[in-house]
Amino acid sequence: MTSNSFRYLPLDPQLREIRLLTLSSGCPDEPLQCHLSTTCLTARPIYKALSYVWGDPASSKTPGNTLILDGHPFPVTTNLRSALRHLRPAAGGDSMCLWVDAVCINQGDVDERSQQVAMMRDIYALAAQVIIWLGEEDDGSNAVFDALPVIASRKSRRQYDDEGKDQEYCLDLMRQCGSFFFGLTDCHPWLSRVWILQELAMAKKDPLVVCGWKSVSWSTLVKAWRAIARETLANLGTRQKVREATSREKLESTSIGDNAESHSDGPADEDDDEDDDVEILAKVKIEVLDDLRKAVRSRGGESLRKLLLISRTSAATDPRDRVYGLLGLLEKDALDPGSSVTVAVDYRKPTSEVYTDAMAHIFSRGDGPYFLSGVFLPGVSAVAPHIPSLPPMTKQPDLPSWVPDFSRQVPDKATQPNGIRFHPPATMSASGAGTVCKNGRRLDDNRTLQVEGLLVDTIEQVMSLGTTLDASIENLAYLESVASDARQRPCLFRPSVAPLIQKFKNSEPLWRILISNKHFMSGYDPAPLSYERMYLSLLKQHAITAGGDPNHHNPDRAQRSEYELCLQSGVGQQSFFTTKSGFIGTCVPDSRRGDIIAIVFGSPVPFVLRPITQSGPAARGEGQTYSLVGASYVGGIMGGEMVDELYCEDLMDSTTFFIQ
């Protein structure tokens, strides 16, 4: 966004130089007069750092969207111009010193951009104040910002006066402000950008949140939200529904292994006098951001695995920033090149290489197999996200199949089902004793992953479970027949282990397998035995309907059993498969005959791998190379039976898998 008339002077990265923007005072309608100066971070300059959203880059070409920078017109986006116009000191006042990335970094210099982005953690940490610009005021936002301090400083219920006047007044304000918070992410894109995680978390003082001409502190905004969530939702009688929805949402799209959005270990808020209700807040973005801020302040950082999960709904104009925007929040141990693969900011790298670097780092930290088991995988031959600054037809390397597209980690953008769907209950893992092992490394070609595990079997057939719930229910009887036939297939394993294999593949009923043996309301607990009765009832109802009984009354299908709701969540997201030796299970729909099922040590789910002929280890005779297709649930081995009873007892050898 540089102008032909303005020229940047180079910065010295060895001296940790940055530029600062001095915003002169003026009347609201006057042109924005600014000056750039150079300083060193080591000199501890006094400045404020702006946290905002660029907005549409094309808006910088709109007439009037300019600053006067050192006497020269300098184009900026509409949102940045609006932010500076609202923050500018009134005429006659002192000027304001700011750090603003779009102006203080020469965006046209790739090397400088890489160097400055690598310093952003310190830039925001050393700022005297971080200013969060939400955007211009809208209908009702002024009244909301006036009410927030009142709500945040509310008394607890037991402290209200006998007449309840204070309580009623505060509840009325909460009702007025509720819609603002529930529409916050949709109306104010600041919350949905990846860079704001670092900018907020690194602020050493309470940030200032600005909307139009109004402002409150960040802590006031969070406390007001908590008050509204606890009081308003409870009064609406929705607390239990919110708890249930939160529980299921955690299962489907939060942390792998531990709750990435659980409350941090940081200091408790002053007003946490009703902590028993705090779980209703778990999935609200503002609370996630505040938890991250507390975690970084108390522990110094987080793992990249957890940061990628926390930020999965966050967006970035440049897809590489989905990784680069998180590096400043890494825990100190993760920055040690002696124990971890380091990720350097380099805007000359293609997206696929940046994402592969991130995954290599996660594997070096011991989190790789578990992480892969619960994210949206790209599938085979997936195209990497395009970098907007490159011409549209510029060819970039595809993503390796073991590297997620971090810009597509929400259901409406993903191209494959989430692996969480195939996870067994929380107390189980297909890796058994190998669940916590450190497994996997990227090879020198930078695209091949080497992991250890067990080769379970080869897929013999893959069947759709149906495109609707009713179609899935109609298929149940046929699936029972297919499963029974598959389990009678002779075991192709060597005789010494064949009896155990036979025991494994017959040990889990189909009704559990089809829902990954999970309880509908939690996702972490095993499916109760009551689900078997529901399943048998579905089989019976279908048999009666298929028999054409004229006296049969079709029940109200709006009243679905919990088991049906479990089935419904998997419609279109999973297929049924059998293997050559008679295992049965569910897998991602892209699976096909000839794919193999493999347990990768450290993952709670087996993976579907596809043999490929390619250069690399396979060509050198070092082993077969595979593509990672996706996760699976294999009946009878999801509790670690193969690992514990075969591998750990030296009845089965591990296999080295090379995945590209």
Side-chain angles (χ1 to χ4, degrees):
M1 292 191 296
T2 59
S3 158
N4 291 330
S5 58
F6 179 83
R7 291 290 182 268
Y8 283 101
L9 296 177
L11 297 174
D12 187 340
Q14 302 301 318
L15 298 177
R16 293 176 60 77
E17 285 187 334
I18 64 169
R19 300 186 187 93
L20 293 176
L21 180 73
T22 300
L23 178 62
S24 300
S25 62
C27 297
D29 295 330
E30 290 180 351
L32 292 162
Q33 298 286 343
C34 303
H35 168 67
L36 270 187
S37 59
T38 300
T39 186
C40 300
L41 275 181
T42 52
R44 293 294 194 269
I46 299 175
Y47 62 94
K48 298 179 180 180
L50 183 62
S51 178
Y52 72 107
V53 174
W54 276 21
D56 183 5
S59 67
S60 62
K61 299 178 181 179
T62 302
N65 279 354
T66 56
L67 316 175
I68 304 303
L69 186 61
D70 291 330
H72 301 283
F74 187 94
V76 294
T77 62
T78 299
N79 193 47
L80 178 53
R81 178 181 177 275
S82 178
L84 295 178
R85 188 173 71 87
H86 284 80
L87 295 175
R88 173 171 52 185
D94 294 333
S95 58
M96 176 184 290
C97 187
L98 292 166
W99 188 85
V100 183
D101 61 350
V103 183
C104 296
I105 299 176
N106 182 357
Q107 301 294 331
D109 186 330
V110 175
D111 292 332
E112 179 183 304
R113 185 179 169 201
S114 299
Q115 294 157 2
Q116 291 285 294
V117 165
M119 295 167 58
M120 281 181 64
R121 174 190 175 104
D122 293 335
I123 291 173
Y124 279 87
L126 294 173
Q129 186 179 44
V130 171
I131 300 175
I132 296 168
W133 170 250
L134 289 184
E136 295 189 359
E137 66 270 20
D138 52 29
D139 293 342
S141 65
N142 287 341
V144 168
F145 269 66
D146 287 339
L148 293 178
V150 178
I151 298 173
S153 61
R154 84 208 188 290
K155 301 175 182 177
S156 66
R157 287 189 175 190
R158 51 184 174 269
Q159 291 176 314
Y160 281 123
D161 59 42
D162 293 338
E163 296 181 2
K165 293 180 180 178
D166 291 340
Q167 179 183 10
E168 185 57 37
Y169 172 68
C170 198
L171 289 177
D172 184 58
L173 287 180
M174 291 180 189
R175 284 189 286 270
Q176 295 177 38
C177 296
S179 60
F180 169 81
F181 279 102
F182 291 122
L184 195 58
T185 302
D186 293 334
C187 298
H188 299 280
W190 178 84
L191 286 97
S192 65
R193 307 302 292 178
V194 70
W195 279 110
I196 63 101
L197 277 75
Q198 177 177 256
E199 296 161 2
L200 172 66
M202 296 314 303
K204 64 181 179 181
K205 294 182 179 179
D206 199 2
L208 184 69
V209 183
V210 182
C211 184
W213 301 105
K214 299 287 186 176
S215 64
V216 296
S217 68
W218 171 260
S219 61
T220 297
L221 186 75
V222 174
K223 288 179 180 179
W225 158 248
R226 285 177 172 163
I228 290 172
R230 277 197 287 256
E231 300 289 349
T232 305
L233 292 178
N235 289 339
L236 289 173
T238 59
R239 177 176 298 166
Q240 184 60 37
K241 292 181 180 179
V242 173
R243 283 176 177 166
E244 293 172 355
T246 296
S247 178
R248 285 196 57 73
E249 196 167 12
K250 286 178 183 176
L251 163 68
E252 293 298 334
S253 57
T254 62
S255 169
I256 311 303
D258 58 343
N259 184 7
E261 298 183 6
S262 63
H263 292 276
S264 72
D265 296 328
D269 283 346
E270 298 173 2
D271 63 341
D272 278 350
D273 53 354
E274 298 173 29
D275 272 344
D276 55 327
D277 293 333
V278 81
E279 75 252 41
I280 67 173
L281 308 174
K283 292 302 298 180
V284 179
K285 190 65 175 282
I286 191 173
E287 191 76 5
V288 173
L289 295 174
D290 195 56
D291 288 343
L292 177 61
R293 173 169 162 77
K294 291 177 182 177
V296 171
R297 294 176 69 191
S298 63
R299 299 197 296 271
E302 286 284 9
S303 68
L304 183 57
R305 173 188 69 86
K306 185 172 288 189
L307 290 169
L308 285 165
L309 291 166
I310 290 173
S311 66
R312 69 193 178 280
T313 61
S314 300
T317 302
D318 188 322
R320 295 169 294 187
D321 287 339
R322 286 290 295 111
V323 172
Y324 290 159
L326 303 173
L327 298 181
L329 296 172
L330 286 181
E331 54 198 352
K332 291 182 180 179
D333 290 348
L335 303 175
D336 180 8
S339 60
S340 307
V341 172
T342 57
V343 182
V345 178
D346 183 355
Y347 284 101
R348 296 186 183 278
K349 288 185 175 182
T351 307
S352 62
E353 190 171 342
V354 175
Y355 288 5
T356 304
D357 287 346
M359 282 305 304
H361 170 89
I362 291 172
F363 270 95
S364 72
R365 300 294 294 165
D367 295 330
Y370 216 113
F371 181 77
L372 281 183
S373 75
V375 296
F376 291 100
L377 291 169
V380 179
S381 302
V383 177
H386 179 70
I387 300 170
S389 59
L390 297 178
M393 300 306 294
T394 302
K395 177 64 176 175
Q396 287 194 89
D398 290 346
L399 287 169
S401 62
W402 57 277
V403 176
D405 183 343
F406 294 118
S407 68
R408 293 179 176 271
Q409 289 302 306
V410 289
D412 60 338
K413 293 183 179 180
T415 57
Q416 303 287 330
N418 191 309
I420 287 285
R421 176 170 307 282
F422 302 95
H423 274 215
T427 56
M428 301 171 63
S429 171
S431 288
T435 297
V436 296
C437 74
K438 185 176 181 179
N439 180 26
R441 68 183 184 94
R442 179 178 61 174
L443 300 186
D444 292 341
D445 65 359
N446 290 332
R447 289 187 62 88
T448 303
L449 174 70
Q450 177 182 329
V451 291
E452 295 294 315
L454 299 182
L455 199 164
V456 178
D457 206 358
T458 301
I459 293 179
E460 175 67 18
Q461 61 187 135
V462 178
M463 300 171 47
S464 170
L465 289 175
T467 57
T468 66
L469 175 58
D470 288 337
S472 297
I473 293 172
E474 289 179 5
N475 282 337
L476 293 179
Y478 179 64
L479 291 179
E480 282 282 357
S481 175
V482 172
S484 177
D485 290 344
R487 284 169 165 165
Q488 294 177 34
R489 291 174 186 159
C491 177
L492 302 181
F493 289 73
R494 66 176 186 269
S496 61
V497 301
L500 286 173
I501 296 295
Q502 201 69 23
K503 180 186 75 171
F504 297 157
K505 71 181 187 181
N506 288 291
S507 64
E508 189 169 2
L510 178 62
W511 69 266
R512 286 191 182 274
I513 294 171
L514 293 176
I515 59 172
S516 299
N517 191 26
K518 287 192 292 245
H519 192 289
F520 174 71
M521 298 311 296
S522 76
Y524 295 101
D525 302 317
L529 283 175
S530 60
Y531 282 10
E532 182 177 22
R533 294 192 298 272
M534 299 175 193
Y535 174 80
L536 294 175
S537 176
L538 291 176
L539 287 177
K540 181 178 179 181
Q541 290 173 12
H542 176 67
I544 293 174
T545 303
D549 185 349
N551 298 317
H552 173 65
H553 174 67
N554 189 29
D556 181 5
R557 302 314 299 156
Q559 300 299 317
R560 299 288 190 181
S561 68
E562 279 192 11
Y563 188 83
E564 288 176 280
L565 295 176
C566 290
L567 287 178
Q568 187 173 45
S569 68
V571 172
Q573 301 296 304
Q574 57 188 21
S575 295
F576 177 78
F577 73 87
T578 67
T579 71
K580 290 184 179 298
S581 289
F583 282 106
I584 64 171
T586 58
C587 58
V588 293
D590 277 358
S591 306
R592 67 191 188 196
R593 183 181 183 186
D595 292 345
I596 69 162
I597 303 292
I599 296 172
V600 175
F601 298 143
S603 169
V605 298
F607 288 113
V608 177
L609 303 179
R610 180 166 300 158
I612 56 175
T613 302
Q614 201 162 325
S615 61
R620 297 192 297 269
E622 298 174 7
Q624 176 65 55
T625 304
Y626 300 89
S627 289
L628 176 57
V629 180
S632 69
Y633 185 100
V634 183
I637 65 170
M638 298 305 291
E641 290 85 350
M642 285 193 74
V643 176
D644 296 344
E645 299 184 42
L646 297 182
Y647 174 73
C648 291
E649 297 297 327
D650 292 328
L651 297 176
M652 189 175 192
D653 294 330
S654 65
T655 299
T656 299
F657 299 100
F658 298 99
I659 305 175
Q660 292 183 338

